[in-house]
Amino acid sequence: MGNGRQDFKTDAAHALADTALQKALQNVKRGFVVKREAARAKLPEFDTLREDARAIKDHTLSHLDLYLETYERKVAESGGSVHYAPTAADARAIILKLCQEAGAKLVTKGKSMVSEEIGLNAHLQAAKIEVVETDLGEYIVQLRGERPSHIIAPGIHLNKETIEADFRRAHHRLPRERRLDQAQYLVAEARKVLREKFLAADVGITGANLLIAETGSSVIVTNEGNGDLTSTLPRTHIVIASIEKIVPTLEDACTILRLLARSATGQEITTYTTFATGPRRDRDPDGPSAYHVVLLDNGRSEMLGNEFADMLRCIRCGACLNHCPVYGAIGGHAYGSVYPGPMGAVLTPQLQGIDRARDLPNASSFCGRCEAVCPMDIPLPDMMRTWRERDFARGNPPFSERLFLKMWAYAAKRPLVYHALANAIVLFMARRAGARGRLSRLPLAKAWTGTRDLPAPQGRTFHSLYTRARRRGRV
Amino acid sequence: MTSTPAPSPQGPLVGLFVTCLVDLFRPSVAFAAIKLIEAGGARVEVPRAQTCCGQPAYNSGDRQDTIAIARQVVETFERFDYVVAPSGSCAGMLRVHYPRLLAEDPNFAERASALAAKSFELTSFLVGVLGLTKVDAAYEENVTYHDSCSSLRELHVREAPRRLLASVEGLSLVELGESEVCCGFGGAFSVKYPDISTAILDAKVRDIIGTGASTVLAGDLGCLMHIAGRLVRERADVEVRHVAEVLAGMTEDPAIAAPRQKR
Amino acid sequence: MSAPEETRAAVLDRIRAALGVASLDHARRTAVVRRLERHPRGTIPSRATRRGEERVALLTDMLTKQGADVSRVPTQKEAVGAIASYLGTCNLPPRLRMGADRVLAALPWREAWDIERSFGRAGPGDRASLSRAVVAAAETGTLFLVSGPDNPTTLNFLPEAHTILIAASDIVGSYEEAWDRVRAIYGQGTLPRTVNLISGPSRTADIEQTIVRGAHGPSRLLVLILG
């Protein structure tokens, strides 16, 4: 997945032809979009909150080192430990070590995109540790050996018949004649199966939507409650979070939480929002006895100093995915990245390099809807364009594209040349189209004419007609 | 082409930014734009030293060429009171992106900002600057209107074309189900990722056909050519025109991608 | 793998280099300390400024929309009655798991003599639980429950049916006011192990966006507003 350029176009073509996927994507285009708008309509302060949130993140990022230091101190005060991981490999190694120190045979996981980013599950499994995703969508894609296709709704590309087949295959010890044809039966089965895992887990690993410097807390939002069972039941709780998740205070968390669920799913708030601070206290009857936070850099500090710093404001709501016509057409897997959609188009080249990920920022019409709905005011199209500049500077675009652009630019900078050539070209095209008024085939234009006719030019350029009309005193 | 009386020498002087697509594919849009601007009481000149706003280079990551073209445009158009383009994406280029592109150039930074402040998409200029509230045109059709992404999101143009269309005699406007959604053109995107572009286009085409309108209008020729190209390939019975043509009452020419003889 | 000190320094140094700042920049440190001390509020939604009965109504409305059952009980006696009847509604045996919370202990349980109460953290066999919220924010129908022996966290997640008692006087408008209440109990910059903000019963939409209750946590939530 995502080995090179050809994958994107091939994967996109498959996605476009996949009728089940296309049907499922309607839930994104119709569901999330409509619900977000409804939530926004119910909260008159929505746009002011976006300004507040942007200011919070900008302030935090410009003082990131200091807030991390404060956060670390507070975590230690509450009895937890912070581990810095400069790279994905560091994070994997730290977490594996913590799991081994805890004697872990079974690890449950709350949904964490960062854990996907670093390839954590495979690493733990290679060390003979069983890893079970507990977010229902994540559990299902784990059964399928797939990667999530959406950062909020990992299994949104699947329909219930597919999920039923997966459950029957994976839960093969359960009675064959049981009903699984409705969502409620599938959920009930998942609840039962995963309950055993929750209770037996040695270590629970969650991500964090936010880290709070003031109190040394990590925050997760879920609707299912799986994150809480993951973090509360095992002996050890490990939080894996990237460094830009931090905000200064509880009030700052409030502001961002007001935007997060509304932007993501259109809910006013998720069912459960949990603030976790350290391990169990002396008198606590439940909770983990060890609490570890792994702070991942993996390119974030570099972004602080480059043109992509604004991307660090992202709160991973997924609104940009939901409103993107490209994501809506091809779904998440075609992007070949943990992070699809517009935010993925900006983040993935930073993580994988522009050479490998060049299709992501290039496959955009720059419609700007992502930026319009982003609660954190991130200029996504501008940053995709910046990636295109880097891509171009490295000579990555195909030769024919670069040649055509060079020729076009040469003419565009020389009006006389341009006008002369333009006249010749449109005359040729108009003659070729004839009375039909359009061209279904044209040399060098197969990319267009494969699916669309090309409207014929009217036959002369405006400039030549205008000059003639002026000469005749008609304008 | 009928001759028009010379506009009042007192009105502001507008430099028409033709746009490369209009220049090459559909000059009638520019003639319609001139007619409308003059009807609004301004004078129009069309400097010959113009080619393109630079978007193809800009969106391909060729910043150098884009800057060279931007400088050219600034030099050519800065003498006018206003610069008007029958295109949201080109006007957006001048209004939003030129100041950023030339921000580091001491010779052009201020000039680009000055030009940006007086650059407009056609309908928003007619309504917002010239104060035009109605046009003298008739078009007895059910019409639907596609808002180009640049017009909508870069320039916040939404009401202006609708205001003017409302004054066209016999015209009834039916809104698209999802007017905020891209048509899939995106300039070079339409040929670099044609499958995806066409899939997005198909949703727009279904929306257009679903309105039952006989004509679809927009303010950007790129979108229009894209939409027309698919409508005609799918043999749909919907005419495609630039909004300027209808507002100027200049609909004798065949519609976009339509045959020379009118049906 | 490098020593923790080295990796820590590596990350922080990289951040400072990217920002173009020095570690000992006094002005920056002061800015951070001040902001943490002040913990300024952002925009508070106007709906959070409702008072009195309007505020309670907002909480009730939000929770109901989010799938919870909400009951206003004027007296402690009716609270106990509501709990008993809820267990019946949920088709659950009259057994209730709760913590050491004194307010809950002081309810007139003799009014529901057949409810078998047990105390401590929840286990897999506990099907119904009772907790008390320290405060609730009406703006989204959100109850704040804190961990500890009084209301163990597992009570919130393991059972099928969860009842949360909240005093009407503990309902505030905004999240910020709720956190101030929590700060008043636990001090500045210190929190218990967990603060659970609960706004409804457990749910998932992961299967074709169809909402199903009881994904992992309780499928039923009763919120009793006392007073």
Side-chain angles (χ1 to χ4, degrees):
Chain A
M1 273 188 280
N3 293 329
R5 199 197 160 215
Q6 190 50 44
D7 288 352
F8 178 84
K9 283 201 168 177
T10 316
D11 292 344
H14 286 151
L16 290 168
D18 184 340
T19 38
L21 173 65
Q22 291 300 317
K23 181 157 176 273
L25 287 170
Q26 294 302 314
N27 283 325
V28 174
K29 286 187 278 200
R30 303 280 137 73
F32 289 150
V33 169
V34 169
K35 287 176 188 160
R36 174 195 169 272
E37 187 48 42
R40 188 165 169 259
K42 280 190 268 179
L43 187 70
E45 296 83 9
F46 190 89
D47 287 332
T48 323
L49 283 162
R50 286 162 91 178
E51 290 169 24
D52 292 347
R54 182 194 167 142
I56 290 168
K57 277 287 181 181
D58 283 344
H59 165 80
T60 310
L61 290 167
S62 63
H63 300 79
L64 186 61
D65 54 321
L66 300 176
Y67 281 113
L68 286 171
E69 285 175 352
T70 308
Y71 171 76
E72 197 193 339
R73 204 170 48 244
K74 297 304 288 187
V75 171
E77 272 174 33
S78 67
S81 312
V82 169
H83 313 258
Y84 285 83
T87 67
D90 291 321
R92 289 193 297 265
I94 292 166
I95 295 174
L96 176 59
K97 185 149 176 276
L98 290 170
C99 288
Q100 285 168 335
E101 280 168 2
K105 294 201 185 51
L106 172 63
V107 168
T108 45
K109 283 190 69 214
K111 194 166 86 63
S112 160
M113 297 315 294
V114 166
S115 75
E116 297 272 347
E117 179 187 325
I118 67 173
L120 180 64
N121 293 7
H123 191 72
L124 296 178
Q125 284 158 341
K128 306 281 184 281
I129 298 174
E130 186 190 348
V131 180
V132 179
E133 293 286 348
T134 64
D135 170 277
L136 182 55
E138 286 281 354
Y139 176 69
I140 295 167
V141 303
Q142 183 183 37
L143 291 182
R144 297 172 59 79
E146 282 176 351
R147 154 188 275 175
S149 69
H150 188 288
I151 62 174
I152 299 299
I156 195 142
H157 58 294
L158 302 166
N159 60 39
K160 62 176 158 60
E161 288 74 29
T162 313
I163 298 168
E164 175 179 358
D166 294 321
F167 274 24
R168 289 196 185 281
R169 189 177 35 84
H171 308 154
H172 49 85
R173 290 209 198 93
L174 294 177
R176 205 169 288 181
E177 61 287 358
R178 71 198 192 282
R179 280 189 75 175
L180 283 179
D181 56 324
Q182 298 293 328
Q184 62 184 92
Y185 302 124
L186 291 163
V187 172
E189 181 156 311
R191 183 192 171 98
K192 214 168 62 188
V193 168
L194 287 169
R195 193 46 82 98
E196 288 173 29
K197 303 294 183 184
F198 282 130
L199 293 164
D202 305 299
V203 171
I205 300 178
T206 67
N209 295 90
L210 295 166
L211 302 172
I212 305 182
E214 174 196 346
T215 52
S217 307
S218 58
V219 182
I220 55 170
V221 308
T222 72
N223 286 310
E224 299 174 23
N226 63 302
D228 296 278
L229 290 168
T230 298
S231 58
T232 301
L233 294 176
R235 296 185 304 280
T236 298
H237 176 203
I238 301 173
V239 177
I240 168 82
S242 45
I243 53 178
E244 84 280 13
K245 289 291 175 70
I246 196 154
V247 295
T249 66
L250 291 165
E251 279 77 5
D252 297 325
C254 296
T255 297
I256 291 177
L257 288 168
R258 286 192 178 101
L259 295 166
L260 179 57
R262 289 183 172 100
S263 300
T265 59
Q267 293 176 274
E268 309 257 5
I269 190 167
T270 48
T271 308
Y272 303 108
T273 305
T274 300
F275 292 66
T277 314
R280 64 160 72 181
R281 310 294 191 259
D282 283 337
R283 292 175 58 231
D284 284 356
D286 51 23
S289 42
Y291 174 85
H292 297 274
V293 181
V294 179
L295 291 176
L296 177 71
D297 182 350
N298 204 31
R300 274 63 169 182
S301 57
E302 190 183 312
M303 285 167 73
L304 262 182
N306 69 19
E307 304 102 313
F308 306 104
D310 287 349
M311 193 58 211
L312 294 169
R313 292 201 292 268
C314 177
I315 59 174
R316 306 291 194 264
C317 70
C320 57
L321 274 67
N322 296 338
H323 291 76
C324 175
V326 175
Y327 181 92
I330 65 177
H333 285 155
Y335 288 80
S337 163
V338 171
Y339 302 110
M343 57 83 63
V346 175
L347 198 50
T348 307
Q350 175 72 44
L351 300 173
Q352 292 183 7
I354 185 62
D355 295 347
R356 203 174 131 192
R358 68 175 301 266
D359 277 307
L360 273 60
N362 272 290
S364 167
S365 66
F366 284 169
C367 80
R369 211 143 172 243
C370 49
E371 182 179 10
V373 300
C374 175
M376 307 306 291
D377 200 22
I378 300 172
L380 293 157
D382 285 341
M383 288 191 290
M384 285 186 243
R385 191 182 293 109
T386 305
W387 278 122
R388 293 184 187 186
E389 286 170 15
R390 299 235 184 141
D391 189 43
F392 182 81
R394 293 174 66 75
N396 285 340
F399 177 73
S400 57
E401 266 179 46
R402 282 181 286 130
L403 179 64
F404 185 78
L405 190 63
K406 255 300 160 258
M407 290 180 349
W408 172 88
Y410 179 90
K413 290 185 280 191
R414 295 163 178 79
L416 288 177
V417 172
Y418 184 92
H419 291 314
L421 280 173
N423 265 308
I425 290 169
V426 303
L427 194 59
F428 166 76
M429 286 175 69
R431 288 236 178 96
R432 200 183 157 96
R436 208 164 158 259
R438 63 192 199 270
L439 292 153
S440 306
R441 266 190 305 276
L442 186 68
L444 306 176
K446 182 134 189 290
W448 180 283
T449 58
T451 51
R452 300 151 284 207
D453 280 357
L454 184 62
Q458 281 172 336
R460 298 234 136 63
T461 64
F462 171 77
H463 282 286
S464 65
L465 288 170
Y466 184 74
T467 306
R468 193 170 65 182
R470 286 212 72 162
R471 248 185 251 132
R472 297 175 188 178
R474 285 190 180 170
V475 172
Chain B
M1 179 88 42
T2 59
S3 61
T4 50
S8 154
Q10 312 294 42
L13 182 61
V14 171
L16 184 72
F17 192 91
V18 178
T19 82
C20 60
L21 286 180
V22 167
D23 184 31
L24 266 62
F25 282 90
R26 206 163 173 85
S28 52
V29 172
F31 286 111
I34 292 172
K35 183 176 176 194
L36 287 164
I37 296 169
E38 288 178 348
R43 296 166 292 145
V44 183
E45 275 183 32
V46 187
R48 230 186 121 70
Q50 60 175 297
T51 56
C52 175
C53 65
Q55 269 184 93
Y58 190 42
N59 290 335
S60 298
D62 180 2
R63 206 178 167 83
Q64 286 229 36
D65 280 328
T66 313
I67 287 176
I69 292 168
R71 286 194 188 119
Q72 221 172 275
V73 172
V74 171
E75 278 171 345
T76 305
F77 281 91
E78 60 188 344
R79 65 183 174 89
F80 294 101
D81 297 323
Y82 296 100
V83 182
V84 177
S87 159
S89 65
C90 305
M93 196 62 190
L94 270 61
R95 254 190 107 79
V96 175
H97 296 283
Y98 277 13
R100 290 194 212 156
L101 281 161
L102 296 170
E104 314 285 305
D105 183 337
N107 288 335
F108 277 91
E110 265 188 56
R111 293 159 73 184
S113 294
L115 186 79
K118 58 190 183 182
S119 298
F120 292 89
E121 178 274 339
L122 176 66
T123 61
S124 68
F125 178 73
L126 295 171
V127 174
V129 179
L130 295 184
L132 204 62
T133 51
K134 50 190 172 59
V135 295
D136 182 19
Y139 195 70
E140 294 239 7
E141 300 284 347
N142 282 344
V143 162
T144 191
Y145 191 81
H146 162 71
D147 298 284
S148 73
C149 295
S150 316
S151 285
L152 209 48
R153 282 181 271 276
E154 280 191 334
L155 302 175
H156 310 289
V157 174
R158 212 184 173 274
E159 288 318 307
R162 286 167 172 80
R163 186 98 174 269
L164 296 175
L165 284 171
S167 72
V168 174
E169 199 185 310
L171 187 149
S172 76
L173 182 67
V174 51
E175 293 285 357
L176 288 167
E178 291 181 325
S179 51
E180 312 261 312
V181 177
C182 185
C183 71
F185 176 60
F189 171 76
S190 61
V191 290
K192 287 182 184 171
Y193 297 93
D195 292 349
I196 304 175
S197 167
T198 305
I200 299 170
L201 175 58
D202 276 343
K204 178 63 67 173
V205 161
R206 277 194 298 274
D207 197 0
I208 290 169
I209 293 174
T211 63
S214 61
T215 306
V216 55
L217 303 177
D220 274 72
L221 194 54
C223 304
L224 288 164
M225 287 176 60
H226 195 230
I227 290 169
R230 189 66 170 167
L231 279 170
V232 83
R233 178 67 64 95
E234 299 283 283
R235 304 195 193 296
D237 194 17
V238 182
E239 270 197 12
V240 183
R241 290 185 181 276
H242 191 285
V243 65
E245 303 171 49
V246 168
L247 295 176
M250 289 166 60
T251 52
E252 323 83 39
D253 285 329
I256 300 171
R260 268 201 222 127
Q261 264 70 33
K262 269 190 90 169
R263 305 177 242 109
Chain C
M1 197 170 56
S2 319
E5 265 315 298
E6 288 169 25
T7 53
R8 179 182 182 277
V11 173
L12 292 172
D13 286 346
R14 272 197 231 167
I15 292 172
R16 288 191 253 266
L19 292 172
V21 297
S23 163
L24 297 173
D25 183 330
H26 193 68
R28 290 177 80 234
R29 286 190 179 271
T30 312
V32 165
V33 168
R34 284 230 189 91
R35 198 173 185 293
L36 289 166
E37 273 168 9
R38 282 175 41 233
H39 47 80
R41 293 177 174 184
T43 303
I44 311 277
S46 60
R47 66 162 89 154
T49 60
R50 295 182 205 177
R51 289 249 171 302
E53 282 310 306
E54 273 193 19
R55 179 190 284 176
V56 178
L58 176 61
L59 181 93
T60 306
D61 185 48
M62 291 271 116
L63 276 165
T64 309
K65 286 206 179 86
Q66 279 144 203
D69 300 303
V70 185
S71 240
R72 186 78 180 269
V73 285
T75 67
Q76 297 193 324
K77 178 172 162 194
E78 280 161 273
V80 173
I83 295 166
S85 115
Y86 195 60
L87 294 177
T89 309
C90 297
N91 267 324
L92 290 170
R95 284 197 284 277
L96 200 58
R97 189 78 176 166
M98 45 198 282
D101 188 282
R102 295 227 200 103
V103 172
L104 295 179
L107 292 175
W109 290 104
R110 63 190 176 283
E111 303 288 338
W113 54 270
D114 65 330
I115 294 185
E116 192 190 307
R117 289 174 301 138
S118 63
F119 301 88
R121 57 163 292 161
D126 294 314
R127 302 182 65 191
S129 59
L130 172 66
S131 317
R132 191 173 66 87
V134 298
V135 64
E139 69 170 278
T140 53
T142 300
L143 301 140
F144 285 55
L145 287 82
V146 301
S147 57
D150 289 351
N151 293 283
T153 309
T154 41
L155 296 178
N156 305 338
F157 295 101
L158 281 174
E160 290 159 49
H162 186 208
T163 301
I164 303 178
L165 188 83
I166 175 103
S169 54
D170 285 334
I171 301 173
V172 298
S174 67
Y175 302 143
E176 286 80 354
E177 291 164 80
W179 283 114
D180 278 344
R181 290 270 187 113
V182 173
R183 280 192 184 106
I185 301 169
Y186 291 93
Q188 280 275 116
T190 325
L191 287 180
R193 183 191 71 84
T194 298
V195 182
N196 292 126
L197 276 60
I198 299 180
S199 308
S202 160
R203 49 171 270 175
T204 181
D206 275 342
I207 303 189
E208 290 187 354
Q209 294 300 298
T210 310
I211 296 182
V212 178
R213 298 267 155 76
H216 293 299
S219 53
R220 303 213 53 168
L221 175 69
L222 172 67
V223 177
L224 287 178
I225 303 172
L226 179 61

